[in-house]
Amino acid sequence: MDNVMARLFWGIIPVERVAALFYYEAGSKTSNILYDLKYHDHPEIGVVMGRMVAREFNEAGFFEDIDMIIPVPLAKSRQRHRGYNQSREIAKGISLVTGLPINDYVVQRMKFEKSQTQVGRWERQENVANVFEVKDTKNLRGRHILLVDDVVTTGATMVACAREILKAGDVRISLLSLGFAKSW
């Protein structure tokens, strides 16, 4: 799956490693778990799933030479409404297994347009264009960053966030998500 998901990013952003724990399919058991995580006030699911993905990929050396985890940020209004960032909860689980620090203050999401689940492939890219901002470039330079999100569909959110991080200069990026929704 790593190769299939990695194709979303080829020629768009430079990435070191790309992986997802499972294929995401609407209505499946795994999609129901993620739905509970995001919309039914169960942040603990993110931590459990983060531990699971970390154990799965740790043995293969996926986390070698990564310096920090950055969960894809939510807009402040969205996080206030939900009460937590599901990507940060996943990052917590990964951190517990790997010992990697989480830095969720270096990148911020400046606005929330509308849910990515309600728009098509091209609208997703427009929806997240220019919504992220790096607040502290010096903590990124010379580092290998693991960008974490719950589900990758078109890759638009990860691309937008990674592009902003890359502006810091001298940064390497790897991407990890729980689910990968094949959009073909």
Side-chain angles (χ1 to χ4, degrees):
M1 174 184 351
D2 305 9
N3 207 11
V4 175
M5 188 168 130
R7 288 183 201 150
L8 286 177
F9 306 102
W10 289 352
I12 299 172
I13 56 169
V15 290
E16 299 282 317
R17 294 175 215 129
V18 177
L21 184 61
F22 53 79
Y23 283 115
Y24 177 89
E25 188 175 328
S28 68
K29 288 181 181 178
T30 52
S31 72
N32 291 337
I33 290 169
L34 291 180
Y35 194 84
D36 284 344
L37 165 63
K38 287 175 81 163
Y39 303 111
H40 290 148
D41 195 25
H42 287 288
E44 72 281 359
I45 292 172
V47 176
V48 170
M49 297 299 288
R51 291 174 73 114
M52 188 181 300
V53 73
R55 284 192 300 270
E56 181 71 25
F57 293 115
N58 205 20
E59 289 183 27
F62 185 87
F63 301 100
E64 285 179 20
D65 81 355
I66 290 176
D67 297 303
M68 74 175 75
I69 303 168
I70 296 179
V72 171
L74 287 179
K76 287 179 182 174
S77 62
R78 188 81 164 171
Q79 187 160 336
R80 258 193 313 275
H81 179 262
R82 186 171 292 155
Y84 57 92
N85 175 349
Q86 72 278 1
S87 296
R88 187 176 200 301
E89 299 305 312
I90 296 164
K92 280 184 200 174
I94 294 168
S95 179
L96 287 169
V97 172
T98 63
L100 292 170
I102 300 169
N103 186 332
D104 55 356
Y105 299 101
V106 73
V107 179
Q108 288 185 334
R109 188 171 187 144
M110 303 313 292
K111 57 186 174 179
F112 175 72
E113 295 295 332
K114 55 187 164 185
S115 173
Q116 291 286 78
T117 61
Q118 305 301 315
V119 296
R121 176 179 207 92
W122 303 115
E123 265 188 284
R124 284 175 184 244
Q125 291 174 12
E126 290 174 10
N127 196 29
V128 293
N130 305 311
V131 301
F132 297 104
E133 182 180 11
V134 169
K135 294 294 189 184
D136 185 4
T137 58
K138 70 179 182 221
N139 279 324
L140 294 176
R141 280 191 211 105
R143 304 283 172 91
H144 184 174
I145 307 300
L146 177 62
L147 194 55
V148 172
D149 206 359
D150 57 344
V151 177
V152 170
T153 303
T154 64
T157 302
M158 287 277 214
V159 166
C161 191
R163 279 185 173 152
E164 190 62 28
I165 291 168
L166 288 166
K167 289 179 183 178
D170 190 27
V171 177
R172 296 182 304 142
I173 295 181
S174 288
L175 310 174
L176 183 62
S177 68
L178 294 180
F180 170 53
K182 290 190 273 187
S183 55
W184 37 268

